[in-house]
Amino acid sequence: MSTTTTATPVDLETIGDVVTPYALRIAATVRIADRIAAGVTGLTELAAATGVRERVLGSLLRYLACREVFTETAPGEFGLTPAAEQLREDHPQSLRFDFDLTEVRSRVETAHLSFLAFAGAGGPGSAYAAHYGRDFWSDLARDPALAASWDRFMSRVTRAAAPDVVGLHDWSTHRHVVDVGGGSGTLLASVLRAGEHLTGTVLDLAPAVAAARTELAAAGLSDRADAVEADFFEPLPDTGDAYLLCQVLHDWDDDAAVRILRRCVDAAGPGGHVLVVERMAGAHTDPRAATWMDLRMLLLFGSGERAAAEYRALMERAGLQVADGAGDGQEMALLDGRVPDRA
């Protein structure tokens, strides 16, 4: 995969700027766009509504107005540009949650500040751990608000990807699908709607299980699906004939990924299936997106993206039979691993 995209000189001053990204995040965190959309347009009133000192807020808004994010319609009066509209919570392409400094995505991005401490010899397992003193999963376990933010973020990601994932596989061959690490149940709900005969279970940690039960009930699927608390490094319920891992393994290094797969193999039993859905390194149509995700996984988990052949090798290490060439050339692929029959 070539990473050369253009002969146009790169403006390093622009792409290296950190003031503008954080100015945007501050505006998103204190919900400036939502307040202006609601009619609070004066600087004095905006300062009172946000709890930010008027002098400070005025500087921030004028900085962003000069960059065409907001507009100063009259001295001390501010309005929204098309760009600022995306900072509204209710905008169809809203980025407010992504930029909010109190939510999980911005917390992850801040860990870039400790990348060098992670990258050196003997560094911790991720830049996130180097920055915060604990790995990402331990951070979620100790902070319910952060865990809830992560579940909201992943629900949005999964909801966007679900139609593509459902279309990758013939679900009619299964009876009961167990979505391992299935978060809020968004993907399982889509799978069950694609196969009226199917039942299913979401397996995840406690905060996600509560969200999944709510999601499945709202989808009218409580009679066909449930959510159960489970740790995928421990023995899993053996209720399914298909165990689905959607964008789970890229969060883990090879040895951990094999341990997760083996738990699924044990639960599925002979003749069962383990279905691995991931984006495949080397097959992306957009190398910028591919390298962004690889760097993000390295930063957050100390892992990274893998090619289809690498995922097949992990599945085979776990004892699964996978078709030769499965996933090759696909940007997003579902690898169907079958648990061999006992001799």
Side-chain angles (χ1 to χ4, degrees), residues 180 231-237 243 257-269 274 318:
V180 181
D231 178 343
F232 50 45
F233 289 109
E234 300 298 329
L236 302 177
Y243 285 72
V258 171
R259 287 168 55 204
I260 295 166
L261 286 164
R262 284 176 177 155
R263 291 302 189 187
C264 294
V265 167
D266 291 343
V274 179

Side-chain angles (χ1 to χ4, degrees), residues 302-327:
S303 59
E305 299 296 87
R306 300 179 177 94
E310 294 173 301
Y311 279 114
R312 292 197 303 269
L314 294 178
M315 295 171 75
E316 288 165 1
R317 276 180 59 188
L320 290 160
Q321 296 173 338
V322 189
D324 290 342

Side-chain angles (χ1 to χ4, degrees), residues 80-102:
L80 302 178
T81 65
E85 293 281 355
Q86 288 185 270
L87 297 179
R88 287 173 26 223
E89 183 69 38
D90 60 354
H91 191 276
Q93 286 83 45
S94 177
L95 293 171
R96 201 213 64 78
F97 175 88
D98 301 274
F99 289 166
D100 190 323
L101 288 167
T102 67

Side-chain angles (χ1 to χ4, degrees), residues 119-331:
S126 67
Y128 191 97
H131 193 72
Y132 294 111
R134 65 189 68 85
D135 66 48
F136 180 72
W137 305 115
S138 299
D139 219 9
L140 294 192
R142 68 187 291 276
D143 187 341
L146 189 66
S149 179
W150 173 250
D151 288 338
R152 289 195 300 274
F153 173 71
M154 288 307 301
S155 181
R156 289 174 53 195
V157 171
T158 304
R159 185 168 283 107
D164 291 336
V165 174
V166 170
L168 290 172
H169 189 62
D170 178 9
W171 302 95
S172 67
T173 60
H174 305 300
R175 169 187 55 80
H176 187 95
V177 177
V178 178
D179 190 356
V180 181
S184 65
T186 302
L187 178 57
L188 182 63
S190 295
V191 169
L192 296 187
R193 282 193 290 264
E196 295 296 326
H197 68 291
L198 287 171
T199 56
T201 302
V202 170
L203 298 184
D204 214 314
L205 301 179
V209 165
R213 287 173 180 157
T214 300
E215 174 88 13
L216 294 168
L221 294 167
S222 294
D223 60 333
R224 296 169 53 201
D226 61 355
V228 175
E229 184 177 352
D231 178 343
F232 50 45
F233 289 109
E234 300 298 329
L236 302 177
D238 60 359
T239 53
D241 61 317
Y243 285 72
L244 174 61
L245 291 162
C246 182
Q247 298 189 91
V248 169
L249 298 185
H250 76 159
D251 294 347
W252 302 93
D253 65 26
D254 287 358
D255 289 342
V258 171
R259 287 168 55 204
I260 295 166
L261 286 164
R262 284 176 177 155
R263 291 302 189 187
C264 294
V265 167
D266 291 343
H273 291 257
V274 179
L275 311 174
V276 173
V277 179
E278 294 285 354
R279 294 191 180 276
M280 301 297 157
H284 290 69
T285 55
D286 181 358
R288 292 179 58 155
T291 53
W292 181 91
M293 182 58 76
D294 187 60
L295 185 59
R296 175 59 59 89
M297 291 298 100
L298 189 65
L299 162 84
L300 184 52
F301 303 118
S303 59
E305 299 296 87
R306 300 179 177 94
E310 294 173 301
Y311 279 114
R312 292 197 303 269
L314 294 178
M315 295 171 75
E316 288 165 1
R317 276 180 59 188
L320 290 160
Q321 296 173 338
V322 189
D324 290 342
D328 287 348
Q330 295 176 259
E331 184 169 334

